[in-house]
Amino acid sequence: MTETTDTTGAAPGARLAALRAAFPLTIPILAGFVFLGITCGIYAGTLGLPWWVPVLLSIVIFAGSAEFVVASQLAGAFNPLTTFAVVLIINARHLFYGLSMLERFRGLGRKRPYLIFGMCDETFSITYATEPPAGIDRGWFMLWVTLLNHLYWIAGCTLGGIFGTVVATSIEGVSFAMTALFVVIFLDQWEKDRQHLSAVIGIAAAAVALCIMGADNFMIPAMALILIGIACTRRRIEPAYAESATEDDGEGRA
């Protein structure tokens, strides 16, 4: 393991070496981000949004599922409070990513703000679990991983935005993409989690709020019920996550 300090004024050769080390690790993400980004762009097109909206969202938000939510909100009567609450809940996991990356981001100077902004699941998995090769600057390595993944997503959303505005009227079912995305995310987390109590609480809270408040007003009450339910059962939920984190740390050090 090689520790290198941030060299903001690193020579072009050092930056290129870091790019060469980072790019192969992002190739699997390239395919996934481009195709999912295309879906996001097409979805925005089916909502009647201009092609540049998903492009702008991909640049300033860079959070796939959150961009689907914001696009759907922009297409109708925009409710800032609801949008903020939903996006916060969707991306709350990034708070824990940030805690895990405090040491790795220390001393990175001007790179740090963009590394914080560009943190996503895939970028975190690489920058946290992968050590750069010997002689490669850690700061530039993480910056290239983050920037490449961001560019892949922007490219996908751009293609989808342009494509979606051209053929949106002839594509059926694309508007279900966001629902399908959340179903896939939920099922993936269900399989990975050692406990399912938090998921059951989420489903039950949403169902109760929907029955009481109706489809137009249930989101915030559902989140409040979820927060209360998780707080009341945290002693049963936390041990499973602590055990999982210990095992993951052991595998990473192996």
Side-chain angles (χ1 to χ4, degrees), residues 45-67:
T46 63
L47 296 174
L49 299 174
W51 71 270
W52 53 266
V53 169
V55 179
L56 180 62
L57 295 179
S58 69
I59 295 173
V60 302
I61 297 179
F62 188 35
S65 52
E67 290 176 38

Side-chain angles (χ1 to χ4, degrees), residues 74-125:
L74 291 175
F78 185 64
N79 187 327
L81 180 60
T82 299
T83 303
F84 173 80
V86 173
V87 172
L88 178 63
I89 294 298
I90 292 173
N91 293 296
R93 65 188 184 281
H94 293 171
L95 298 174
F96 302 97
Y97 292 170
L99 294 175
S100 302
M101 298 300 292
L102 283 176
E103 279 300 319
R104 290 177 178 263
F105 286 171
R106 190 183 302 278
L108 294 185
R110 289 179 292 179
K111 300 182 183 70
R112 189 172 179 177
Y114 180 71
L115 289 172
I116 295 172
F117 163 77
M119 183 63 62
C120 64
D121 297 353
E122 293 76 11
T123 298
F124 171 78
S125 66

